[in-house]
Amino acid sequence: MTASWPKATHRSALALAALALCAGAAGAKTLVYCSEGSPENFTPALNTTGTSFDAARPVYDRLTHFTRGSTQVEPGLAESWSMSPDGKVYTLKLRKGVKFHTIKDFTPTRDFNADDVVFSFERQWKADHPYAKVSGGKYDYFADMGLKDDLEAVEKVDPYTVRIVLKKPNVTMLPNLAMDFAAIHSAEYADALTKAGKQGQFDQAPVGTGPFSFVTYQKDAVIRYKANKAYWGEKAMVDDLVFAITPDATARYAKLKAGECHLTGYPRPADLPEMQKDKSLRVTSLPGLNIAYWAFNTQKAPMDKKEVRQAFTMAIDKAAILKDVYLGAGTAAKNLIPPTLWGYNDKVAEWPHDPEKAKALLVKAGVKTPIEVDLWYMPVQRPYNPNAKRIAEMMQADLAKIGVTAKLVTFEWGEYRKRLQQGEHQTGMLGWNGDNGDPDNFFFLHGCDAARAGGQNLSKWCNKPYDEKLEKARTLTDNKARAKLYEEMQLIERDEAPDFKIAHSVVYEVMRQEVTGYKQSPFNSHQFNGVSLK
């Protein structure tokens, strides 16, 4: 359900859409969120970016939830659960009386039940599932976290009981089930679209059980939702929710000041002092559960040599980047996980900025300078990386000092990510914001499962001792024992240097003073049930 605009009328149409954002029925409350980009689709299982997750989140529930504004796991569509003593079997009791949304082309005839859970997981897991190949059929998150290989069964015990069986224990399952990729879809809706020959609509006009139902999407302009009055959980406090898609940070700030939107993320660090002085606005912040990094593709020369990766790491002036780009809103990163997360190893030594030692390492690796490499930088702003192009330019200048010419490369955001995950780059910038509060959710980024083509291990680095510790940690219920393994893994990462770790940032969000009830998420997700306007 998308709309494209004739070129001649594109600007005027978008202007009219912006003016109409806050319009609604008399007395109706409309909450407008200025989002930073367009979703790829509305099925989280197909995506890996916060932008797409945010757009789908109002529509869907998961078996478990995170308490709004925290990392605490609470019941979702599963009211309760139990785990077998060996940690391989999870039995979940499902919530009764939960209604799926009615949208323009679909009216449900039954409530949510176990069939919907089995459908939602088997679509990602089984290649012969009728929806497996719809919309491209790539379920990278599911595969990267090992579920593609580790699942033994997803069974319907009865209409309101589901059993998930694993081949090996995984103590991270309950928070994993609260993540976006585990959103529960309507199997009945899927069947109806199959009969109508419209399977492609499934991921573009979503049907869920969440606090808002989908209304329409005007591509690259506006997404509209309406409150789900029958919602079982914390209800929407407004009648309508609108995502005003506004990629430019300066434009988002202007809309916020003009009252065209009520809340936005990703402010420019340089704008924060002025925002904090504006009495019509409120600025909130949290230490970021995040990391910005520059990945070295270990499957491409010369990045396949450890000494070269170490040399590139020592060539970059990280302190200058933090001062110039983060403007006090970031701290230097030396590990993949941020220091606020348990399992952080503070004994890991930071690589020094030392261009002369970097040159010596290149000689040791047998690399004759000058050489050329590519340096991919993100086309979008993120809390973990406020200005990737500026960082790339600073890195380019630093690399030139050790005889390396870096060619700067970027693409449209969706294309950029896809090409990086396929491993087309020699070196590329990206970052990560934690999804579930568990260190595993960061360390899997260097796991062998995620190093495959299409996976989120952008270094394509597969280290057997590291991966064995990653897998073992998933089987342990003692967090002290898990932390010891994670500390050892961070030492391996430091020595192997699969990427240059840039920064952990503070995450800022800005809203108008009339917004009440909003809670900033440690996962940098944006959730609008329970939010109202004075």
Side-chain angles (χ1 to χ4, degrees):
M1 292 181 68
T2 60
S4 58
W5 305 100
K7 288 184 179 179
T9 62
H10 184 78
R11 287 189 179 181
S12 59
L14 292 186
L16 285 170
L19 287 171
L21 287 179
C22 294
K29 283 187 178 180
T30 299
L31 179 70
V32 183
Y33 170 60
C34 268
S35 65
E36 79 291 349
S38 301
E40 295 153 280
N41 53 64
F42 291 89
T43 292
L46 293 165
N47 303 315
T48 59
T49 70
T51 301
S52 294
F53 289 157
D54 271 348
R57 193 170 292 115
V59 176
Y60 295 111
D61 286 314
R62 294 148 301 284
L63 293 173
T64 58
H65 281 182
F66 294 111
T67 302
R68 197 162 59 89
S70 85
T71 60
Q72 181 67 40
V73 175
E74 65 180 13
L77 290 176
E79 283 188 311
S80 63
W81 49 80
S82 61
M83 182 179 73
S84 63
D86 65 2
K88 294 181 181 179
V89 182
Y90 289 80
T91 304
L92 301 105
K93 295 292 184 181
L94 304 183
R95 194 176 296 276
K96 296 179 180 177
V98 176
K99 310 295 182 185
F100 277 104
H101 303 149
T102 295
I103 63 169
K104 182 182 175 185
D105 298 321
F106 174 72
T107 300
T109 65
R110 65 164 177 82
D111 292 349
F112 154 78
N113 64 31
D115 293 330
D116 304 303
V117 177
V118 173
F119 170 90
S120 299
F121 284 95
E122 288 195 344
R123 178 188 181 183
Q124 302 178 67
W125 180 37
K126 294 191 173 181
D128 60 352
H129 189 276
Y131 268 76
K133 294 180 175 60
V134 174
S135 302
K138 289 182 66 63
Y139 309 101
D140 289 325
Y141 220 133
F142 186 83
D144 287 356
M145 298 187 73
L147 287 173
K148 185 177 180 181
D149 296 323
D150 294 350
L151 263 184
E152 184 76 43
V154 180
E155 302 169 341
K156 173 185 176 180
V157 179
D158 62 47
Y160 290 97
T161 307
V162 171
R163 185 185 295 126
I164 297 175
V165 184
L166 304 172
K167 294 176 183 175
K168 53 190 175 183
N170 188 339
V171 297
T172 69
M173 272 302 290
L174 289 175
N176 288 351
L177 292 175
M179 291 162 57
D180 290 284
F181 80 94
I184 303 301
H185 299 258
S186 167
E188 184 187 17
Y189 180 45
D191 289 342
L193 290 177
T194 298
K195 289 172 184 174
K198 297 179 178 179
Q199 285 177 299
Q201 184 178 316
F202 188 79
D203 304 310
Q204 302 300 331
V207 169
T209 60
F212 293 90
S213 61
F214 175 81
V215 177
T216 187
Y217 172 37
Q218 294 171 309
K219 187 171 171 57
D220 299 329
V222 180
I223 314 170
R224 296 180 183 274
Y225 314 82
K226 64 180 179 181
N228 174 12
K229 303 297 184 183
Y231 188 54
W232 60 267
E234 184 182 31
K235 295 187 188 299
M237 305 296 289
V238 294
D239 301 285
D240 299 287
L241 172 66
V242 172
F243 278 34
I245 297 168
T246 314
D248 181 70
T250 302
R252 291 197 298 274
Y253 183 19
K255 286 184 177 183
L256 199 65
K257 287 196 293 185
E260 292 180 25
C261 62
H262 298 109
L263 188 144
T264 189
Y266 315 106
R268 291 194 320 136
D271 290 334
L272 285 167
E274 183 182 337
M275 289 175 164
Q276 288 162 337
K277 292 175 185 175
D278 189 331
K279 292 182 180 180
S280 70
L281 303 179
R282 183 165 72 255
V283 179
T284 64
S285 65
L286 284 176
L289 197 67
N290 62 29
I291 175 76
Y293 59 85
W294 177 36
F296 306 130
N297 188 342
T298 59
Q299 294 181 357
K300 287 191 174 182
M303 312 315 297
D304 55 338
K305 296 182 178 180
K306 178 171 75 172
E307 292 83 6
V308 174
R309 302 194 298 268
Q310 292 173 344
F312 277 42
T313 295
M314 296 177 79
I316 305 304
D317 188 347
K318 189 181 298 185
I321 290 172
L322 284 162
K323 182 179 179 182
D324 186 272
V325 178
Y326 288 84
L327 303 178
T331 58
K334 62 179 182 179
N335 293 318
L336 195 62
I337 62 172
T340 52
L341 203 56
W342 65 271
Y344 184 84
N345 189 349
D346 200 32
K347 294 179 181 178
V348 170
E350 172 69 282
W351 283 101
H353 171 51
D354 193 330
E356 294 307 312
K357 282 188 179 178
K359 290 178 185 177
L361 279 170
L362 290 179
V363 172
K364 182 180 177 182
V367 174
K368 294 182 180 180
T369 54
I371 60 168
E372 291 186 4
V373 298
D374 62 34
L375 199 172
W376 293 33
Y377 68 91
M378 294 158 46
V380 296
Q381 183 189 32
R382 283 289 181 271
Y384 57 71
N385 191 331
N387 190 338
K389 185 179 181 183
R390 175 61 182 151
I391 293 176
E393 290 167 348
M394 295 178 75
M395 287 179 170
Q396 184 184 47
D398 286 340
L399 290 171
K401 296 171 185 175
I402 65 165
V404 176
T405 300
K407 177 188 175 185
L408 302 190
V409 178
T410 196
F411 299 92
E412 178 274 328
W413 180 224
E415 189 71 12
Y416 179 84
R417 280 182 37 264
K418 183 173 73 174
R419 288 171 178 259
L420 274 180
Q421 288 178 217
Q422 288 299 324
E424 292 184 21
H425 61 296
Q426 279 179 292
T427 78
M429 268 192 270
L430 205 68
W432 187 255
N433 199 96
D435 297 287
N436 68 14
D438 194 287
D440 177 85
N441 185 238
F442 281 82
F443 291 124
F444 92 96
L445 292 169
H446 281 160
C448 292
D449 280 328
R452 71 195 201 300
Q456 294 176 84
N457 181 343
L458 303 185
S459 302
K460 306 305 175 187
W461 175 71
C462 177
N463 179 280
K464 189 174 180 182
Y466 177 98
D467 207 60
E468 287 174 349
K469 293 177 191 292
L470 176 69
E471 292 291 335
K472 184 178 179 181
R474 289 173 176 166
T475 71
L476 303 176
T477 56
D478 180 356
N479 278 356
K480 285 187 178 179
R482 290 179 70 200
K484 185 175 185 297
L485 291 171
Y486 293 145
E487 288 166 8
E488 293 167 359
M489 288 158 62
Q490 287 162 81
L491 291 170
I492 295 172
E493 284 180 339
R494 195 271 180 189
D495 180 59
E496 286 285 323
D499 45 32
F500 173 75
K501 296 164 180 70
I502 303 169
H504 308 291
S505 76
V506 176
V507 178
Y508 291 92
E509 294 182 0
V510 193
M511 66 199 78
R512 294 189 60 80
Q513 289 288 2
E514 55 264 34
V515 175
T516 62
Y518 180 77
K519 294 182 180 180
Q520 189 172 355
S521 167
F523 306 123
N524 193 38
S525 59
H526 300 92
Q527 192 172 342
F528 301 106
N529 49 325
V531 181
S532 188
L533 299 169
K534 290 180 192 174

